[in-house]
């Protein structure tokens, strides 16, 4: 039977577009009170308006989560204004498609900051409250890049691999509690992530799936109690194929990229 999310308090980061917006709207449609955040106020307001059609108590906070103090303020505001956080969705993130030969340490740090340190900080701020109630869900949006090491994205891949390792270890630590962890592995989902500036072109041309497919995948995983979900699902097979023979996977990927370049 599907979970009843009525009156659940859900905090979604990065809800101004893409998957965060899709998840926020679906939770609101299912009766949850949604708290959401991002930097672009006008985009966040559009999502909030749609959420309030179903869930009038939903609210938003405009914040830049690369600032640790803003993360702390968000956690405090969410607890105070929502009353509690039953479901935390760490979704905010930025891409960084840049060949390793053009990377600099400051760029790598900035990617780690928003993609890894900010969700960890938010999780650690809200976890004590979940532990007190012995209940809660933490949904961390990683990426297939964490397990498949996409070429030309070493900084991004590392930030998402860190999210995965942290989440898996956290899931074990919390296994005997009432808190559940879900790690989400989007493959290629049709969002603005691929048109953001300061990124090199996407190397592998894979057909993206719509945000609705990702949202369905997350709700399906919540229903089944899974600890991870890949969307589209075939990426799970690619990840186990890579784990079975890393050298073959890396050399095959390098050849694929070289062939693509050669064919223009
Ligand atoms: N699309 C894919 O195929 C794909 C694949 C693997 C993983 N992912 C992951 O999925 C998550 C959502 O991405 P998306 O594809 O839905 O792309 P998106 O539409 O660009 O969404 C990213 C969200 O993160 C927010 N954000 C970025 N920097 C922020 C900051 N400093 N402070 C607060 N919010 C910030 C953005 O809002 P503002 O710009 O308004 O701040 C936006 O709401 C990301 O973690 C991404 O890495 C996506």
């Amino acid at each position: 039977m599907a979970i009843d999310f009525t009156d659940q308090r859900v905090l979604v980061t990065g809800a101004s577009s893409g998957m965060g917006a899709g998840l926020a709207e679906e939770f609101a449609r299912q009766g949850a009170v949604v708290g959401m955040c991002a930097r672009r106020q006008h985009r966040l307001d559009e999502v909030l308006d749609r959420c309030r059609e179903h869930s009038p108590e939903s609210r938003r906070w405009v914040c830049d989560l690369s600032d640790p103090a803003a993360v702390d303020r968000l956690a405090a505001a969410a607890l105070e204004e929502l009353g509690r956080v039953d479901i935390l969705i760490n979704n905010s993130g930025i891409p960084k498609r840049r060949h390793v030969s053009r990377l600099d340490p400051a760029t790598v740090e900035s990617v780690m900051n928003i993609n890894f340190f900010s969700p960890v900080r938010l999780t650690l701020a809200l976890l004590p409250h979940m532990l007190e109630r012995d209940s809660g869900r933490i949904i961390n949006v990683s990426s297939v890049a964490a397990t498949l090491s996409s070429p030309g994205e070493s900084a991004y891949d590392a930030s998402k691999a860190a999210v995965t390792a942290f989440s898996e270890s956290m899931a074990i630590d919390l296994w005997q509690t009432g808190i559940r962890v879900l790690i989400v592995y989007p493959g290629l989902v049709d969002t603005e992530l691929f048109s953001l500036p300061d990124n090199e072109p996407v190397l592998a041309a894979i057909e993206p799936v719509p945000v609705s497919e990702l949202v369905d995948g997350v709700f399906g995983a919540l229903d089944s109690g899974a600890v991870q979900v890949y969307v589209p699902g075939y990426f799970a097979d690619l990840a186990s194929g890579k784990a079975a023979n890393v050298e073959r996977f890396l050399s095959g990927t390098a050849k694929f990229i070289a062939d693509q370049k050669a064919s223009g």
Side-chain angles (χ1 to χ4, degrees), residues 13-22 37-44 61-67 90-95 114-115 118 141-145 156 159-160 184-196 208-209 211 214 231:
T13 68
S16 58
S17 60
M19 299 168 7
C37 78
R39 292 165 302 177
R40 290 169 297 171
Q41 182 174 339
H42 67 291
R43 295 291 300 275
L44 205 49
W61 301 276
V62 176
C63 61
D64 183 344
L65 295 178
S66 62
D67 172 7
N90 283 308
N91 166 75
S92 278
I94 56 164
I114 178 65
N115 287 2
S118 94
V141 178
S142 180
S143 168
V144 296
Y156 178 77
S159 70
K160 292 298 189 177
V184 182
Y185 292 97
L188 215 66
V189 181
D190 191 8
T191 70
E192 295 167 26
L193 197 82
F194 300 99
S195 53
L196 291 176
V209 298
V211 168
L214 185 284
V231 182

Side-chain angles (χ1 to χ4, degrees), residues 137-151:
R137 284 176 189 272
I138 300 168
I139 303 176
N140 283 345
V141 178
S142 180
S143 168
V144 296
T147 48
L148 292 176
S149 307
S150 340

